[in-house]
Structures are given as structure tokens and as C-alpha cells.
Amino acid sequence: MDSWTIETNSPEQTQALAESLGRLLGPSTVVLLSGDLGAGKTCFTQGLGRGLDVPEDESVVSPSYTLMNQYQGRICLYHFDLYRLSHPEDLLDLGFDEYLCGDGVTVVEWADRFSDLGLEGIRVHLEHGEGDRRLIHFSVEGKASLPVLESFRRQWSAEGEVHDRI
Ligand code: ADP
Ligand code: MG
């Protein structure tokens, strides 16, 4: 499995997709989000939050200014956004490494900004289409997340939604 793609046509569809992925995730999972501004990274994270049973009144918002927001669901959701980060060292000072292998799910927006970090996990690349259309590409970095992404893929291919990338 290299990369496979699901198309969504509304924010609600993107959230529903992410919610079903979130339901499959366990501790020490990392989700690496990339894509242009407005592609839907935060929207996807909101769906993941639902899948992790973050209460609806704790709305998942962009952590652009705070670098990280934390939400308590069935396991913790640590939501990072590297958009405004200029020095990766600041991230390490925050204890980033411990979050990655900790008791919760770590989601990183703009995960591709610092390739030196060598981040591993489920990679989700969101691509803007016409209007509300988004192409959402899934792949893995490293082997640890392969099983969970395989079961997610099986779930969606059963529903006929998966387009393999050529
Ligand atoms: P990012 O975090 O990547 O900058 P956001 O999630 O904050 O992007 O914003 C995505 C915007 O695009 C939202 O205003 C959302 O309502 C809109 N949108 C329209 N169609 C979709 C879709 N199919 N999936 C996700 N977001 C969508
Ligand atoms: Mg965002």
C-alpha cells in the first residue's frame, strides 16, 4: 500500500471520514496533516476528535497561536500546528517527543514543514479541489501505523469510496 485517496464534497463528509479513522486509533498514534491553508486540516482534526469521543462542547479549534491544544476524549488528543513555528527546537522544548509516544493521539498540522523532524505516523494530505471538493490522500511513514491504516482502508473500500492513486 503506497497512497490511496478518498474524495469528499463537504466539511461534514471530511469530518465523518476523520471520525471513522479516529474510532480506530489507540495510544501513541501520530497523524501527520499537510495541505494548503483552507484545505481542511483543522476540519479533519475536528472529526478525529469526535472519533476519540472528545465531548461536543469542547470544540476543537486551530492551535496556530498556542502551538498545541489538548482535548480529553476516550484517550487524549494532542493537536499541534506548526504553521507559525520558526525553530523546531521550540517544539522539542515543549516535550514534543514525549507526546508522540505517549498515552494519546498526536495530530500535527503542517507536519511537512520540518522534514528534519523525521516524523512517522499516518500521513494525511488534503488537496483543494473545485469549491468544496477535497482529495484526501492517505499513506504511512514508518511501519507502526500500517495495520490501523489497512483496516481503515478495508472499511472504506467496502463502501466503494476508495480511489487508488495511479
Ligand atoms: P486548514 O486547517 O487546512 O487551514 P480548515 O480546516 O481550517 O483548513 O478550513 C477548511 C475550510 O474549507 C473550512 O472553512 C471548511 O468549511 C471548508 N471546506 C469546504 N469543503 C470542505 C471539505 N470537503 N473538507 C474540508 N473542509 C471543507
Ligand atoms: Mg488549520
Side-chain angles (χ1 to χ4, degrees):
M1 181 181 77
D2 297 321
S3 160
W4 50 280
T5 302
I6 295 175
E7 183 184 320
T8 67
N9 290 292
S10 69
E12 292 75 23
Q13 276 182 12
T14 297
Q15 287 175 343
L17 175 71
E19 178 176 351
S20 59
L21 175 62
R23 300 227 170 276
L24 303 175
L25 302 183
S28 306
T29 310
V30 182
V31 180
L32 306 169
L33 299 177
S34 57
D36 294 341
L37 260 185
K41 300 179 292 299
T42 300
C43 178
F44 192 91
T45 310
Q46 288 161 347
L48 283 177
R50 281 195 207 153
L52 293 168
D53 300 329
V54 171
E56 289 290 332
D57 57 356
E58 263 194 79
S59 46
V60 173
V61 293
S62 174
S64 298
Y65 294 95
T66 50
L67 204 55
M68 196 269 280
N69 289 334
Q70 183 172 334
Y71 304 93
Q72 185 64 56
R74 69 180 159 77
I75 51 178
C76 254
L77 168 61
Y78 305 111
H79 182 195
F80 286 84
D81 188 327
L82 309 190
Y83 186 58
R84 286 192 171 72
L85 184 77
S86 2
H87 308 289
E89 308 85 66
D90 295 347
L91 200 59
L92 303 176
D93 289 346
L94 239 162
F96 187 59
D97 286 349
E98 280 108 84
Y99 287 110
L100 297 179
C101 56
D103 53 4
V105 170
T106 303
V107 177
V108 188
E109 291 194 37
W110 296 99
D112 52 338
R113 274 203 65 204
F114 299 98
S115 53
D116 289 359
L117 288 170
L119 294 172
E120 294 195 345
I122 300 173
R123 180 169 289 286
V124 182
H125 179 71
L126 295 103
E127 194 184 335
H128 236 119
E130 286 266 299
D132 288 353
R133 186 166 170 257
R134 300 290 188 276
L135 292 174
I136 306 182
H137 307 287
F138 293 90
S139 58
V140 288
E141 297 293 336
K143 296 244 179 297
S145 298
L146 197 55
V148 67
L149 199 59
E150 284 287 7
S151 36
F152 180 58
R153 183 194 179 143
R154 272 196 301 276
Q155 189 174 310
W156 279 83
S157 45
E159 296 175 31
E161 297 269 2
V162 174
H163 313 279
D164 279 302
R165 191 180 241 184
I166 304 155

